[in-house]
């Protein structure tokens, strides 16, 4: 044992946050766990000041150069180190990782505000941690700041924002806050929360301020759009009829009446909603919209949430499509908004959360807006729903396509999908092999991998190519178990691996999870590993081959099974959908999964879980959002002027 180890022997197991920070941060060169612990034992609460003054004992413990480096880093990172020292002085039970995350969220001036009111940290940490810090810092239990903070925490919790909602009934918010406080909420707490801008009270409910402001602004912008005609490109009925006839003449099938109406409306309204069930021909309409708009001198711009969806939209429409992230990045760097000749087309708009919709509308300028999506599919991952509200509003210019073309009626998929949308599930037969239709196979969660293996072999033996079938699972629990099982089976069969990417092997299906435009790689691209070498993988993604080095490994994930969210916007000839009891399982998730199939759907797992999910409400229907109320208010205000 050296002299430093002897010096810290007998120290408490729990290391001070500042000491741990110095030991872990690479910037403190030449100081590791042992020397940092020795510094903590020698200087205690004066450690920060000792390092900044380059105390002789600091030099003795760590050496001259590390001591000078540490003083420089301590000075540069003043906000972080002051905050960590403050937490140490309070002796609150906060993990090192969480403490560092909290410290980096605020500058030096912000730290002083936090020391006066620790509840300002609620936006980046959970209630228990921040409440402990606040009480330790001297805020008393009955302090109104604590009541307001409890209400604010509730609005950000699984009772509201964390479950996709943007508001709560006032009494429910109070009840939830009392559970956090473990006492009644002050009668003045609601008013205090509103006055301090911790909450907004609207329509007899409480909202997080950010959500309320975004819903109100979206509502106002959309209310102005819905009654306006396009600023440019308006054509005479005769010219539009000729343009439509020319488009239709080049297609193998005539447009339906609703498809024709949708294309026509895109020319006469600045805001239009194109709602349609999966496979109902929305892409055919979008192609027609693009072609006829271009014939009048306007420019369609297609945006989607994911890179893979953008690539697919580009392929199916023959026009450039980009991700919403790329669109916003480019537009927010520009000093001008979209021009009057632009028609912004948002595909899969049902997946847009409130934040994405708000950011898009703020960049719209004089352009027209066409929102295209399926309100029966999964709602956004992020809080809020706007598209669903617009699709259900009787006054918004829209066309609803309700005739399904993707799947043949003989498969039974359209009929099953219609039943699921309305909350009814017909009896499904047992799986027998490759054949158009829908089926159900009972199995336990423990027997899921083996059942999938048998199903896969049966499909292969009856004519299904491996790229024609995809497993789509509702939860990460099933996804991880399936991918792990088949990966181990692949290795057992002797598949080659790249040593630096041993989570993958030759022949395995993979999904790419990052947008890299310069390499033509898009988030959500799927394919297979063609070969594995010592230092690289040859991978085919969406028909293109890529030689991938080790640094690409974290962006490649196994795709024997993928999530329903990842599958949204894609399709396969056949899909297998494991179904087991889960809090997130609902009819919209099942509808989205089954409509990814063109010919065959195989459900496996718990029949009760499937029936209960279909009979229950959709996830979009369980969200309490304020957009519709703000939209009605915006309309009334516009009418008053």
């Amino acid at each position: 044992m050296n002299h430093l180890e002897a010096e810290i022997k007998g120290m408490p197991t729990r290391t001070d946050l500042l000491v741990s920070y110095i030991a872990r941060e690479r910037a403190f060169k030449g100081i590791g766990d042992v020397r940092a612990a020795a510094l903590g034992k020698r200087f205690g609460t004066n450690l920060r000041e000792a390092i900044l003054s380059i105390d002789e004992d600091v030099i003795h413990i760590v050496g001259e150069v590390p001591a000078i480096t540490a003083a420089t880093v301590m000075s540069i990172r003043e906000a972080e180190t002051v905050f960590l020292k403050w937490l140490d002085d309070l002796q609150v039970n906060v993990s090192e990782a969480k403490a560092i995350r909290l410290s980096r969220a605020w500058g030096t001036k912000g730290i002083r505000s936090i020391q006066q009111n620790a509840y300002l940290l609620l936006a980046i940490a959970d209630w228990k941690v921040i409440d402990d810090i606040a009480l330790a810092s001297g805020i008393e239990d009955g302090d109104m700041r604590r009541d307001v903070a409890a209400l604010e925490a509730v609005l950000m919790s699984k009772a509201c924002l964390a479950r996709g909602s943007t508001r709560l009934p006032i009494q429910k918010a109070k009840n939830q806050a009392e559970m956090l406080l473990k006492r009644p909420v002050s009668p003045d707490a609601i008013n205090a929360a509103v006055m301090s801008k911790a909450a907004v009270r609207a329509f007899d409910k409480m909202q997080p301020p950010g959500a309320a402001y975004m819903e109100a602004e979206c509502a106002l912008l959309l209310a102005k759009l819905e009654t306006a005609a396009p600023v440019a490109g308006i054509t005479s009925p005769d010219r539009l009829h000729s343009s439509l006839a020319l488009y239709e003449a080049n297609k193998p099938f005539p447009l339906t009446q609703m498809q024709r109406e949708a294309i026509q409306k895109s020319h006469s309204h600045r805001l239009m909603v194109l709602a349609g069930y999966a496979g109902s021909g929305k892409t055919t309409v979008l192609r027609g919209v693009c072609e006829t708009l271009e014939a009048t001198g306007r420019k369609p711009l297609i945006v989607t949430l994911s890179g893979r969806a953008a690539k697919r939209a580009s392929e199916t429409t023959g026009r450039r499509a980009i991700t919403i992230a790329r669109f916003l990045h480019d537009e927010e760097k520009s000093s001008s908004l979209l021009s009057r000749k632009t028609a912004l087309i948002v595909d899969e708009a049902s997946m847009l959360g409130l934040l994405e919709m708000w950011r898009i509308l703020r960049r719209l300028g004089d352009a027209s807006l066409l929102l295209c999506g399926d309100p029966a599919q999964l709602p956004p991952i992020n809080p809020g729903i706007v598209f669903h509200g617009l699709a259900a509003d009787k006054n918004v210019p829209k066309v609803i396509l309700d005739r399904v073309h993707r799947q043949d009626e003989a498969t039974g998929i359209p009929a099953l999908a219609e039943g699921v949308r309305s909350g009814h599930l017909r009896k499904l037969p047992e799986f027998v092999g490759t054949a158009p239709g829908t089926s159900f196979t009972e199995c336990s969660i423990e027997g899921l991998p083996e059942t999938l293996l048998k199903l896969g072999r049966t499909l292969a033996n009856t004519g299904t190519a491996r790229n024609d079938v995809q497993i789509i699972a509702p939860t990460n629990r099933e996804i991880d178990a399936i991918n792990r099982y088949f990966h181990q089976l692949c290795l057992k069969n002797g598949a080659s691996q790249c040593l630096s990417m041993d989570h993958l092997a030759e022949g395995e299906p993979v999904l790419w999870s990052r947008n890299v435009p310069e390499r033509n790689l898009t988030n959500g691209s799927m394919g297979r590993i063609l070969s594995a070498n010592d230092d690289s993988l040859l991978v085919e993604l969406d028909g293109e081959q890529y030689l991938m080095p080790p640094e690409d490994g974290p962006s490649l994930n196994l795709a024997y099974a993928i999530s329903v969210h990842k599958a949204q916007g894609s399709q396969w000839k056949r899909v297998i959908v494991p179904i087991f009891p889960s809090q997130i399982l609902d009819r919209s998730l099942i509808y989205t999964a089954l409509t990814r199939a063109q010919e065959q759907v195989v459900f496996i797992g718990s029949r009760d879980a499937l029936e209960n999910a279909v009979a229950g409400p959709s996830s979009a229907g369980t969200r309490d959002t304020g957009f519709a109320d703000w939209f009605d208010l915006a309309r009334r205000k516009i009418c008053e002027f």
Side-chain angles (χ1 to χ4, degrees):
M1 181 183 298
N2 62 38
H3 72 284
L4 288 178
E5 291 172 330
E7 188 174 344
I8 64 172
K9 186 178 180 182
M11 287 182 63
T13 302
R14 182 181 179 275
T15 306
D16 289 341
L17 293 170
L18 186 57
V19 168
S20 183
Y21 175 75
I22 294 170
R24 301 287 189 274
E25 286 293 301
R26 293 181 180 179
F28 293 94
K29 295 179 180 178
I31 305 177
D33 289 340
V34 173
R35 286 185 172 84
L39 289 171
K41 184 172 179 61
R42 166 66 182 82
F43 294 105
T45 59
N46 297 318
L47 174 58
R48 184 175 179 277
E49 291 73 18
I51 290 177
L52 285 170
S53 64
I54 316 181
D55 189 283
E56 288 186 4
D57 281 358
V58 173
I59 297 174
H60 171 69
I61 293 171
V62 304
E64 185 174 2
V65 173
I68 294 172
T69 300
T72 303
V73 174
M74 192 73 74
S75 177
I76 293 172
R77 301 189 178 185
E78 179 185 3
E80 294 177 26
T81 55
V82 166
F83 182 71
L84 292 173
K85 182 182 183 302
W86 179 61
L87 290 180
D88 276 335
D89 292 343
L90 294 179
Q91 290 295 297
V92 292
N93 186 24
V94 181
S95 71
E96 174 199 341
K98 188 163 288 186
I100 291 174
R101 179 180 172 226
L102 292 173
S103 71
R104 288 176 176 168
W106 298 75
T108 306
K109 293 182 179 178
I111 295 299
R112 296 192 187 101
S113 298
I114 289 167
Q115 289 172 336
Q116 296 172 5
N117 182 7
Y119 291 115
L120 294 173
L121 291 167
L122 273 175
I124 54 173
D126 59 82
W127 164 262
K128 181 66 172 65
V129 169
I130 304 308
D131 192 43
D132 286 347
I133 293 173
L135 293 174
S137 71
I139 292 179
E140 296 182 356
D141 173 37
D143 193 306
M144 183 62 74
R145 288 175 295 177
R146 187 166 185 255
D147 290 57
V148 169
L151 289 167
E152 187 177 5
V154 166
L155 291 176
M156 292 187 288
S157 73
K158 289 182 179 179
C160 189
L161 277 183
R163 68 183 291 264
S165 295
T166 60
R167 65 182 185 179
L168 274 178
I170 291 176
Q171 189 57 51
K172 185 174 181 179
K174 290 176 64 176
N175 293 343
Q176 293 285 322
E178 288 175 353
M179 292 174 65
L180 296 179
L181 295 169
K182 296 180 173 57
R183 62 165 174 78
V185 171
S186 166
D188 299 324
I190 300 296
N191 288 336
V194 173
M195 292 297 295
S196 65
K197 298 184 179 178
V200 169
R201 180 165 50 193
F203 313 107
D204 296 324
K205 296 192 177 185
M206 291 189 70
Q207 292 195 263
Y213 299 150
M214 283 189 284
E215 283 186 335
E217 187 167 5
C218 284
L220 184 60
L221 292 171
L222 289 166
K224 291 177 180 177
L225 286 178
E226 76 165 332
T227 57
V231 181
I234 301 175
T235 59
S236 68
D238 289 341
R239 186 177 174 188
L240 181 55
H241 178 77
S242 299
S243 183
L244 259 173
L246 182 62
Y247 170 70
E248 197 168 1
N250 297 321
K251 297 294 169 285
F253 302 102
L255 296 172
T256 66
Q257 180 182 347
M258 298 305 291
Q259 288 174 330
R260 192 175 294 108
E261 181 183 341
I263 296 173
Q264 290 171 333
K265 280 192 174 183
S266 71
H267 288 261
S268 55
H269 298 277
R270 274 197 73 192
L271 170 66
M272 180 192 156
V273 170
L274 176 61
Y277 302 134
S280 61
K282 295 189 294 294
T283 300
T284 299
V285 171
L286 292 186
R287 281 199 300 266
V289 168
C290 291
E291 191 165 312
T292 55
L293 284 173
E294 288 168 345
T296 67
R298 296 171 68 192
K299 178 186 175 183
L301 173 59
I302 304 172
V303 296
T304 69
L305 264 181
S306 72
R308 191 177 194 212
K311 189 170 184 177
R312 182 168 177 265
S314 180
E315 291 169 350
T316 55
T317 64
R319 272 78 181 173
R320 180 173 180 252
I322 60 174
T323 64
I324 289 171
R326 176 66 180 272
F327 164 75
L328 291 171
H329 176 268
D330 293 346
E331 287 299 317
E332 288 171 356
K333 289 195 304 181
S334 172
S335 59
S336 60
L337 304 178
L338 293 181
S339 74
R340 60 193 182 88
K341 289 190 175 183
T342 302
L344 184 64
I345 300 171
V346 183
D347 199 13
E348 301 288 356
S350 61
M351 298 171 67
L352 287 187
L354 173 61
L355 176 60
E356 294 93 352
M357 187 69 77
W358 176 74
R359 292 179 68 192
I360 288 170
L361 289 171
R362 286 169 66 89
R363 303 304 307 177
L364 192 63
D366 290 328
S368 298
L369 178 64
L370 191 157
L371 300 172
C372 176
D374 182 351
Q377 288 193 27
L378 287 172
I381 295 175
N382 295 329
I385 45 174
V386 176
F387 177 83
H388 298 69
L390 294 173
D393 191 296
K394 63 181 181 180
N395 295 314
V396 172
K398 64 177 173 291
V399 171
I400 298 177
L401 304 176
D402 54 6
R403 179 181 171 187
V404 176
H405 304 280
R406 178 185 297 164
Q407 306 96 349
D408 190 287
E409 290 289 346
T411 67
I413 295 174
L416 181 62
E418 184 179 356
V420 170
R421 285 197 304 269
S422 59
H424 302 289
L425 182 69
R426 61 179 176 81
K427 184 174 177 59
L428 299 176
E430 285 286 331
F431 169 76
V432 293
T434 299
T438 59
S439 63
F440 185 90
T441 295
E442 195 98 26
C443 80
S444 65
I445 186 68
E446 295 78 16
L448 174 61
E450 290 80 6
T451 303
L452 285 169
L453 181 61
K454 291 177 182 177
L455 287 175
R457 286 173 175 169
T458 301
L459 286 170
N461 292 335
T462 52
T464 294
R466 65 181 184 177
N467 288 335
D468 286 343
V469 61
Q470 179 62 50
I471 302 169
I472 303 174
T475 73
N476 289 333
R477 176 187 61 179
E478 287 96 35
I479 293 168
D480 292 343
I482 294 165
N483 285 332
R484 187 167 53 247
Y485 174 84
F486 283 103
H487 178 61
Q488 292 301 318
L489 191 62
C490 185
L491 296 181
K492 186 178 179 181
N493 291 333
S496 301
Q497 286 186 282
C498 172
L499 296 179
S500 56
M501 293 182 275
D502 59 1
H503 65 296
L504 305 166
E506 184 175 300
E508 292 196 292
V510 288
L511 182 145
W512 178 260
S513 61
R514 188 161 53 97
N515 287 318
V516 189
E518 61 272 20
R519 294 170 63 190
N520 198 30
L521 285 166
T522 55
N523 180 18
S525 292
M526 296 181 68
R528 284 189 184 273
I529 299 174
L530 300 179
S531 63
N533 304 309
D534 290 342
D535 58 355
S536 64
L537 295 173
L538 182 61
V539 184
E540 183 182 55
L541 293 171
D542 289 345
E544 296 185 33
Q545 292 187 12
Y546 302 87
L547 189 64
M548 297 194 161
E551 50 265 33
D552 284 337
S555 300
L556 277 173
N557 302 295
L558 289 171
Y560 291 103
I562 63 173
S563 69
V564 181
H565 280 98
K566 290 290 186 183
Q568 200 158 343
S570 299
Q571 60 187 65
W572 295 266
K573 281 189 177 180
R574 311 179 197 288
V575 300
I576 302 173
V577 187
I579 298 291
F580 296 97
S582 166
Q583 289 185 341
I584 70 168
L585 189 66
D586 74 344
R587 73 168 70 164
S588 59
L589 190 145
I590 291 167
Y591 169 83
T592 304
L594 79 90
T595 53
R596 299 310 90 207
Q598 295 170 297
E599 295 182 11
Q600 185 174 14
V601 182
V602 182
F603 290 105
I604 64 173
S606 166
R607 194 180 297 270
D608 286 345
L610 178 61
E611 292 175 349
N612 291 338
V614 171
S618 68
S619 48
T622 62
R623 294 189 180 191
D624 188 353
T625 64
F627 171 74
D629 286 326
W630 286 112
F631 197 34
D632 286 341
L633 179 62
R635 280 170 166 157
R636 292 199 298 272
K637 291 297 182 183
I638 289 173
C639 290
E640 289 175 7
F641 291 99

